[in-house]
Amino acid sequence: MEINNDIEVYSRRIAQARAQLRAHGLDFLVVGPSADLYYLLGAHIRPSERMSLLLIPQEGPVHMVVPAFEAPTLPHLPQDVQVTAWGETENPARIVASLVAGQGSKPGGAHCTMGVGDRLWSIFLLRLQAELPRATFTSGSIVLTALRQIKSAWEIDLLCRSGAHADSVFGEIILGPFVGRTEADLSQEIAERLKAKGLAVEGKPIVASGPNSASPHHFTGERVMQAGDVVVLDFGGTLDGYYSDITRTVFVGAAPADNSEEERVYNLVAGAQEAAFRAARPGVTCEQLDAVARDLLTAAGYGQYFMHRLGHGIGLDGHEPPYLVQGSITPLQAGMAFSIEPGLYLPGKFGVRVEDTVYLTADVAVRANNATREIVVVE
């Protein structure tokens, strides 16, 4: 099993990145501070106005280019990664250009193709383009997505452990009370409970109550929750960098009345989520899985209220490939991890969303979230 601080993990990932460069005809991969960089090196580097980047060629030394005073903060790196530190009066883009010229797979390194990570700041890309006017720059996501979207057993374990902590927090908060509290107050409690379980939390968990629940990405505010509210709870955190992401919808004060629209919509959403989960397996395309849930909700007359994609990949980023959306013909593969989160949002009334993180084995999908998906009533 991989270990997070095992240097061999990162050596292997760099070797895999080189193989992808060769497969796609790219000479170099350039990666800025991001989850991509952490994936490749295990290094957390804060984005700033000073250029830091990882330069991976098809062959030859890999260079981690950083401001000189930040070099000591780097973790232990694989043997084939060299640290290239630059001083305050030096031009780091010119240094990168000299490294390209010195080890490029094309004569002189001038006419080469540079794959660029999605999170490299545009100002740094512009500076590199100025120093390498005859190079061709293209997206490096073709390399990075191929690596990161297939999770190892170690990564799946972290996602499941992170998901289990989120499940536990849901079980705690539904003990209430909700009535008389603001969305912001409950959101803070969720964040504190996640942190108490060892998860890191960025931003505010979504607590969307009453008519606010009809907004898929409601910004948690000061609305006071009251009996009769439908409340959407969307939250998670990271464990060693790996995300959990769960959404549950609860009812305040009492269960929805039999045959009410609230009951009908909840059951439709929960049913669509279950249908998509059961249909998820290697070989099914992203858009086909989206259609499983979407067609069910459309047939029930609610298609116009399902206004977002079915789900997104999850790992070191909360949202990453693959994306379960119409138009994506990417086939699902064993080792992929993603959310399944259909929702219906009735403007001015209420909304319902049910979300789990799942991962694929060679045959089926497995949930990383197992909190109840039955109707829950809170006080």
Side-chain angles (χ1 to χ4, degrees), residues 325-350:
V325 65
Q326 184 177 6
S328 174
I329 60 173
T330 298
L332 299 175
Q333 302 176 58
M336 286 183 171
F338 47 87
S339 68
I340 297 180
E341 50 179 307
L344 293 177
Y345 311 92
L346 281 60
K349 295 182 179 180
F350 66 93

Side-chain angles (χ1 to χ4, degrees), residues 109-269:
H111 294 286
C112 59
T113 302
M114 313 279 292
V116 181
D118 291 348
R119 301 298 177 88
L120 184 73
W121 283 8
S122 59
I123 186 61
F124 298 146
L125 174 58
L126 291 170
R127 291 171 182 170
L128 291 174
Q129 289 174 324
E131 296 293 336
L132 293 163
R134 290 183 290 176
T136 298
F137 291 82
T138 188
S139 173
S141 62
I142 194 170
V143 171
L144 296 162
T145 295
L147 299 182
R148 287 183 51 195
Q149 70 179 359
I150 306 299
K151 305 312 193 272
S152 67
W154 169 76
E155 291 177 290
I156 293 295
D157 179 64
L158 280 174
L159 289 170
C160 289
R161 288 163 55 196
S162 183
H165 287 318
D167 288 349
S168 178
V169 169
F170 177 72
E172 293 168 0
I173 62 172
I174 60 176
L175 298 178
F178 279 46
V179 172
R181 301 178 63 183
T182 66
E183 295 174 345
D185 180 48
L186 180 57
S187 176
Q188 182 176 350
E189 180 189 348
I190 293 171
E192 290 173 352
R193 288 183 179 275
L194 290 167
K195 292 174 183 176
K197 296 183 185 300
L199 300 185
V201 180
E202 297 179 0
K204 293 181 179 181
I206 293 176
V207 177
S209 63
N212 292 339
S213 62
S215 175
H217 278 180
H218 169 64
F219 187 81
T220 300
E222 296 300 325
R223 184 181 183 278
V224 176
M225 292 177 285
Q226 52 194 289
D229 278 351
V230 178
V231 182
V232 173
L233 306 165
D234 186 342
F235 59 89
T238 60
L239 182 65
D240 288 345
Y242 285 82
Y243 277 82
S244 50
D245 193 2
I246 182 175
T247 303
R248 292 293 185 265
T249 302
V250 301
F251 296 85
V252 182
D258 290 345
N259 300 316
S260 65
E261 187 166 42
E262 288 84 354
E263 182 188 59
R264 183 164 61 254
V265 167
Y266 187 92
N267 288 336
L268 279 170
V269 171

Side-chain angles (χ1 to χ4, degrees), residues 230-375:
V230 178
V231 182
V232 173
L233 306 165
D234 186 342
F235 59 89
T238 60
L239 182 65
D240 288 345
Y242 285 82
Y243 277 82
S244 50
D245 193 2
I246 182 175
T247 303
R248 292 293 185 265
T249 302
V250 301
F251 296 85
V252 182
D258 290 345
N259 300 316
S260 65
E261 187 166 42
E262 288 84 354
E263 182 188 59
R264 183 164 61 254
V265 167
Y266 187 92
N267 288 336
L268 279 170
V269 171
Q273 206 262 0
E274 178 68 18
F277 169 72
R278 291 181 178 275
R281 62 178 58 88
V284 175
T285 68
C286 289
E287 70 172 4
Q288 286 173 338
L289 194 59
D290 177 273
V292 169
R294 195 169 304 278
D295 290 352
L296 189 155
L297 297 176
T298 299
Y302 284 90
Q304 64 180 310
Y305 301 113
F306 182 17
M307 58 187 71
H308 55 71
R309 64 196 174 203
L310 178 64
H312 54 81
I314 188 167
L316 285 171
D317 281 313
H319 290 192
E320 61 181 46
Y323 296 105
L324 311 182
V325 65
Q326 184 177 6
S328 174
I329 60 173
T330 298
L332 299 175
Q333 302 176 58
M336 286 183 171
F338 47 87
S339 68
I340 297 180
E341 50 179 307
L344 293 177
Y345 311 92
L346 281 60
K349 295 182 179 180
F350 66 93
V352 172
R353 182 165 67 252
V354 177
E355 173 187 18
D356 292 318
T357 295
V358 308
Y359 65 91
L360 291 187
T361 68
D363 303 305
V364 296
V366 179
R367 284 185 166 101
N369 293 112
N370 292 290
T372 181
R373 286 169 291 279
E374 300 297 323
I375 288 176

